[in-house]
Amino acid sequence: GIQVEQSPPDLILQEGANSTLRCNFSDSVNNLQWFHQNPWGQLINLFYIPSGTKQNGRLSATTVATERYSLLYISSSQTTDSGVYFCAVVGNAGKSTFGDGTTLTVKP
Amino acid sequence: GAVVSQHPSWVICKSGTSVKIECRSLDFQATTMFWYRQFPKQSLMLMATSNEGSKATYEQGVEKDKFLINHASLTLSTLTVTSAHPEDSSFYICSAIFRGGSFNEQFFGPGTRLTVL
């Protein structure tokens, strides 16, 4: 199956700083999504981005499908951005695979 | 739009009992639903892929006789944990793919926290 690697595993920032999270995948995919998991476990859709670039407020994402990676940018981070960020892909066989996540801590 | 609900949100049961978890797409028809399990401090692990009207496809290592999945309609899939044991305690999450929407975009339910005593 497709391997999904996220980096870094942990990230600690001061409020106001910018950050970049990375997701590498081992094969071509039909879908790539970024999620934020809140403390109650709910997965919040951030981006559906199998290719190209999207922006939503302080967050943006870029997927370069030919090079099999995606980046999630968080600008002017806030304490409420803390949590676990997951990248998930769906391969050609229709199977969904999650990365191990990046745990972000934003300190005031 | 694209709301997925799960019921119950949490459940505590005795060892040996069976527990049923429902996953519903509230405002759309789902071609496919996925079931995941998440242990503390870990990622989501896919358990099975469920398509309406057909048998679920289970991932390697997931016992199909223990985790029964029924996808009865385009808006409902159920996961039944049979003869639950303490090691089945986990956070179970479902997702649904919107029929007619972005190809393979998943919408997730809020999860069900199962504790087996």
Side-chain angles (χ1 to χ4, degrees), chain B residues 72-110:
Chain B
S73 74
L74 285 172
T75 59
L76 174 64
S77 178
T78 60
L79 167 66
T80 301
V81 184
T82 62
S83 186
H85 291 285
E87 58 266 28
D88 298 323
S89 298
S90 187
F91 190 53
Y92 292 86
I93 308 175
C94 72
S95 73
I97 292 177
F98 177 24
R99 186 182 200 181
S102 299
F103 185 60
N104 283 337
E105 181 174 7
Q106 297 186 67
F107 297 92
F108 282 81

Side-chain angles (χ1 to χ4, degrees), chain B residues 4-98:
Chain B
V4 177
S5 70
Q6 275 185 246
H7 178 80
S9 55
W10 59 270
V11 57
I12 301 173
C13 69
K14 292 183 178 180
S15 186
T17 60
S18 294
V19 175
K20 180 185 282 189
I21 302 170
E22 290 187 350
C23 177
R24 291 181 184 273
S25 56
L26 298 184
D27 51 0
F28 66 99
Q29 292 183 327
T31 52
T32 301
M33 288 182 171
F34 295 103
W35 285 96
Y36 299 86
R37 181 166 52 180
Q38 185 180 31
F39 292 108
K41 305 286 187 184
Q42 294 186 22
S43 184
L44 280 75
M45 298 301 297
L46 181 66
M47 299 176 66
T49 303
S50 169
N51 293 298
E52 186 264 342
S54 62
K55 291 184 178 180
T57 301
Y58 290 81
E59 294 302 305
Q60 194 171 7
V62 178
E63 299 175 57
K64 58 183 68 176
D65 293 332
K66 181 166 185 63
F67 298 99
L68 301 178
I69 292 173
N70 182 22
H71 196 153
S73 74
L74 285 172
T75 59
L76 174 64
S77 178
T78 60
L79 167 66
T80 301
V81 184
T82 62
S83 186
H85 291 285
E87 58 266 28
D88 298 323
S89 298
S90 187
F91 190 53
Y92 292 86
I93 308 175
C94 72
S95 73
I97 292 177
F98 177 24

Side-chain angles (χ1 to χ4, degrees), chain A residues 7-61:
Chain A
S7 60
D10 299 281
L11 185 59
I12 299 175
L13 298 174
Q14 208 64 38
E15 198 169 27
N18 302 328
S19 62
T20 301
L21 282 58
R22 187 177 180 101
C23 173
N24 292 335
F25 44 97
S26 62
D27 204 346
S28 59
V29 297
N30 291 321
N31 169 22
L32 187 145
Q33 289 178 261
W34 284 98
F35 300 95
H36 178 209
Q37 189 168 37
N38 69 19
W40 297 272
Q42 173 75 62
L43 284 163
I44 310 298
N45 280 21
L46 296 178
F47 293 102
Y48 167 79
I49 188 165
S51 63
T53 298
K54 290 186 178 179
Q55 180 157 6
N56 184 4
R58 296 182 295 105
L59 273 60
S60 63

